[in-house]
Each structure stands twice: as structure tokens, then as C-alpha cells.
Amino acid sequence: MLDLYNRENIFTSKDGGGAGNNWASGYTQARRTIKLLEGFHEPIFDIIDREAENSDSMEGFVMCHSMAGGTGSGMGSYLLERLNDRYPKKLIQTYSVFPNQKDTSDVVVQPYNVILTLKRLTLNADCVIVLDNTALNRIAVERLKIENPSFAQVNRLVSTILSASTATLRYPGYMNNDLIGLIASLIPTPKLHFLMTGYTPLTAADQVESSIRKTTVLDVMRRLLQPQNMMVSIPRDHRIRGGAGGGGAGDAASAEAINHCYISILNIIQGEVDPTQVHKSLQRIRERKLANFIPWGPASIQVALSKKSPYVATSHRVSGLLLANHTSISSLFRQTCQDFDPMRKSKAFLDKFKREDIFKDNFDELDASREAVQQLVDEYIAATKPEYIDWAESA
């Protein structure tokens, strides 16, 4: 693994030991590490600045992190803030791993960690690709027929998304060959920048042949729109009841059904594909009304064609990745709020947070983060209505 990276760019803390699954500890350690008192030497940003200065035309940063523990959430949050402050004109994209909400977690303060990180992702990131462990484990069990998925098997799904979503950057064509162009059309307003993904066909590492034999362009594009292929835990029925508590549009919508819809879609199709097949497939999808779009602006399915990697053998002719901005992703944030609220109300497990400077006097940052996530939920729910533009201007 060390041979893949410049060894000078691998930073190891002198203290070591991680952050003890505590966001506040990870955040504080990052602040102390990144900005030491002796001469304001910044070892991590020395690495980042050196690579940025050596780049010919740097577009932005891509950060991969998890949200359940202390280092990925706490240190990741501080890095996001500093990157946004240090490089305000550069794009920041993250691949953020949300925790498995169905299984009991060993990290008892997980809801605190996720809420605090979500605020930073909302305010400091330009694009967040959501990787939901709940959905990844479900796909491994239901689609790949793996009874007890291992970390390696779930990580293989994550690596598939990572490689497919950057394929047009590594094998550039005439469109979507830069980071800004890739995501610009997916994010119409600044806060609505959380994207869900889907991929087909999926195969386990030990499967020689794909379980999906027919891989025409139409078949791939149709399967990408199926909820069971989404790598985010969303309601199978996009018409659900709203409300997450905390006031705002969420509560107002609690008495009525929410017709969730797509804000934007980008399909990255890999393989040898005839463009005429893409046009015919888009026409069939429109005729069958397989995708429901926002009522307040123009939206459609965009398609980017990409070559396959010559280094990885596959048993299928065509594969596809879906990058979608869908309002139902708010259900993931709403569930996070519901996990957070009872713990915050009972003031459970806050003693370790209070040891750190950021929470030394009070827990206002927790409440501010909860409010920021509620506002995010409210905006996604408002985006399902025709009057969203007026709502956004008055918000």
C-alpha cells in the first residue's frame, strides 16, 4: 500500500491512539495538530499546499471519511472548515460513509458525531456523495446473496462507486471530463448538494459471471432507477409522510404526504456503447415515466459515456453508475435527527464531550448542528413543491 502513495504525504500523529470515537476529541486533536503553537507550523497543510502548488490546474479536493467514529467525523470536520477557508475558490467533494442505522452500534455517541459532521458537510462541502452502510449491507445480502457481509465485501462496493464516479476524469471524453463539469448540473442550489448513487450490474468477488446476463443500455439505465439498487436507505415508496420534529417545513409536512422526486440525474455508462442506443433508452424511460422530476425547474436524465478500465476484467458488456440528487435523501437526515433527539434530551454520554474546549462551557454547538440539519431537511422537503423558488428566496 505504501508504494501507491508518496511516503512524504502520509501523516501519523505523534500522540496516536485515535479519537476514542468522540467527535470533539477528533476535532480538538486536528486543531492542535494542524496548527501547532511553535511558529504556527502546519504539518498536514504543508503536505496539502505542496501538492496543490505542484498541480498544473487544480480544480478542488476530494475527501473520503466516515461519520460514526471520532477521527473521520471530528478531524474530517476540521479539515473541511480549514480547506474551505484556505481555498475558498476550489471545489470540495466528499465521499461520506454514513453508519449502519439498523444494527446496534458499538459507538454510543454515534448520533452526536453524525449530527456535528452533517453541519460541516452542509456548510463547507460543495458536493457530498453519500455512502450509506445500511444500504450497502442490504445490497450485499439481497443482491449479492452474501449472508454475512465482511468489511472487505462492503468496501468492494464502495471502491466500485469510487472508481466508476471518477471514470470520466481518468478516461476523459468530450463531456464531463472535469470535476466541476461533472457535478455542476447535479446541484442547482448550494445546500441541495447531497447525492445518492446506484450501480449495476453488481457482482461479488468470487462470482465469475454476472448474475445479470442482459446488459443493454436500456436495461442498465432502467435498473439504475430501481430503489433496491440505490446505495442510500430511502423509502421504497417515494410518497411518504414528513416531519422530523424541531419545527419548520418538516413539521408542517407531517400531516400530508411528500411526493419525493429527482432534482437531477447523471448516468455514467461504461463500455462500448452506440450513442443512438442512449437516445432510444432515454425516450423509452420518458414514455414509461420511470423518473419523477421536480416541478419548479427543467430537469432530465443526463448521460456520460466512458471507457472501461483496460486493467480490470469484467464479464458484462455495459455497466452503469447513477449519480442522483433526490429529495428522499432527507429521510436519512431525518432518521439521524430522530436518533439524536432522545439522547440530547436526556443529556446522555456528554461527559467526554465536555472535556474538550469546544464543549467546555456549554453544548450550544450540538444544538446549532441539530438546527442546521433540520434546515437541510426542510429545504429538501420544500424542493418537492412547485413554490420552492419563492420559499428559497424568503428562507
Side-chain angles (χ1 to χ4, degrees):
M1 182 65 75
L2 289 175
D3 295 335
L4 292 174
Y5 303 100
N6 182 350
R7 292 177 184 239
E8 293 182 354
N9 292 350
I10 298 174
F11 177 81
T12 305
S13 173
K14 292 180 180 178
D15 298 331
N21 294 323
N22 183 335
W23 181 94
S25 176
Y27 188 88
T28 303
Q29 286 188 49
R31 185 163 55 185
R32 289 172 183 165
T33 301
I34 289 176
K35 201 164 189 177
L36 299 177
L37 294 178
E38 300 92 26
F40 291 92
H41 176 57
E42 301 178 320
I44 293 180
F45 271 94
D46 284 348
I47 296 171
I48 294 173
D49 291 342
R50 183 176 66 247
E51 292 299 321
E53 289 166 4
N54 289 336
S55 301
D56 293 331
S57 181
M58 189 182 75
E59 289 185 87
F61 300 91
V62 177
M63 187 177 88
C64 303
H65 70 124
S66 64
M67 299 174 63
T71 305
S73 63
M75 184 175 184
S77 293
Y78 191 72
L79 270 174
L80 271 175
E81 291 177 346
R82 289 301 308 278
L83 283 172
N84 198 24
D85 181 60
R86 200 176 185 98
Y87 297 92
K89 295 184 179 180
K90 299 300 180 182
L91 185 142
I92 300 176
Q93 180 185 26
T94 75
Y95 290 84
S96 303
V97 181
F98 281 66
N100 191 333
Q101 296 177 332
K102 287 193 174 182
D103 294 343
T104 303
S105 174
D106 295 333
V107 184
V108 292
V109 294
Q110 176 178 293
Y112 295 150
N113 295 341
V114 176
I115 282 283
L116 289 160
T117 310
L118 259 177
K119 177 190 174 185
R120 274 74 189 177
L121 289 172
T122 302
L123 299 179
N124 297 287
D126 298 295
C127 174
V128 178
I129 295 179
V130 176
L131 300 168
D132 179 17
N133 260 332
T134 308
L136 293 172
N137 279 274
R138 172 183 56 78
I139 288 173
V141 172
E142 295 180 5
R143 309 290 288 179
L144 300 181
K145 309 301 180 185
I146 303 171
E147 190 172 343
N148 294 305
S150 64
F151 285 116
Q153 289 166 326
V154 173
N155 284 340
R156 189 171 184 270
L157 292 175
V158 173
S159 66
T160 299
I161 296 299
L162 284 167
S163 61
S165 63
T166 57
T168 58
L169 307 179
R170 292 178 287 114
Y171 307 107
Y174 66 94
M175 286 181 65
N176 304 105
N177 53 15
D178 64 315
L179 194 59
I180 296 173
L182 189 65
I183 67 172
S185 58
L186 289 169
I187 301 169
T189 60
K191 278 192 178 180
L192 304 181
H193 62 246
F194 291 81
L195 306 181
M196 60 176 65
T197 60
Y199 188 86
T200 191
L202 287 168
T203 56
D206 56 351
Q207 292 176 344
V208 178
E209 293 188 1
S210 170
S211 59
I212 304 174
R213 294 182 180 179
K214 185 180 180 182
T215 55
T216 63
V217 176
L218 174 61
D219 195 53
V220 166
M221 293 178 65
R222 183 176 56 82
R223 288 179 184 274
L224 287 175
L225 295 172
Q226 295 173 351
Q228 62 265 32
N229 286 324
M230 296 291 184
M231 295 193 181
V232 174
S233 297
I234 59 172
R236 297 295 177 95
D237 181 5
H238 287 167
R239 184 179 174 86
I240 65 170
R241 298 269 168 197
D251 270 353
S254 60
E256 60 178 295
I258 302 168
N259 291 313
H260 283 296
C261 51
Y262 286 102
I263 298 172
S264 54
I265 296 176
L266 172 64
N267 286 341
I268 298 177
I269 307 298
Q270 291 182 277
E272 297 300 324
V273 177
D274 185 348
T276 58
Q277 294 179 320
V278 175
H279 294 302
K280 289 179 181 178
S281 300
L282 288 171
Q283 186 176 0
R284 293 284 294 277
I285 289 171
R286 278 195 294 267
E287 289 171 354
R288 297 181 184 182
K289 298 180 180 180
L290 297 179
N292 180 32
F293 286 98
I294 50 173
W296 46 267
S300 62
I301 300 176
Q302 302 171 76
V303 179
L305 302 181
S306 173
K307 297 178 182 178
K308 281 194 173 187
S309 170
Y311 307 106
V312 180
T314 57
S315 56
H316 39 267
R317 187 175 63 87
V318 181
S319 61
L321 170 78
L322 170 83
L323 285 175
N325 199 340
H326 197 282
T327 60
S328 67
I329 203 169
S330 61
S331 62
L332 180 64
F333 310 143
R334 188 169 56 245
Q335 182 60 51
T336 300
C337 292
Q338 291 170 355
D339 293 340
F340 169 89
D341 288 342
M343 289 182 60
R344 178 69 184 100
K345 187 176 181 180
S346 61
K347 301 180 181 178
F349 308 112
L350 289 175
D351 52 324
K352 290 185 178 180
F353 280 74
K354 201 168 185 179
R355 296 174 191 172
E356 307 298 338
D357 292 342
I358 191 171
F359 294 110
K360 195 172 184 179
D361 299 322
N362 54 58
F363 295 103
D364 290 349
E365 183 56 39
L366 271 174
D367 299 328
S369 298
R370 170 64 175 84
E371 179 61 27
V373 176
Q374 182 61 50
Q375 291 173 2
L376 178 64
V377 172
D378 292 346
E379 181 146 356
Y380 267 108
I381 292 174
T384 64
K385 309 289 180 61
E387 58 273 13
Y388 168 70
I389 299 295
D390 295 330
W391 181 93
E393 289 177 351
S394 61

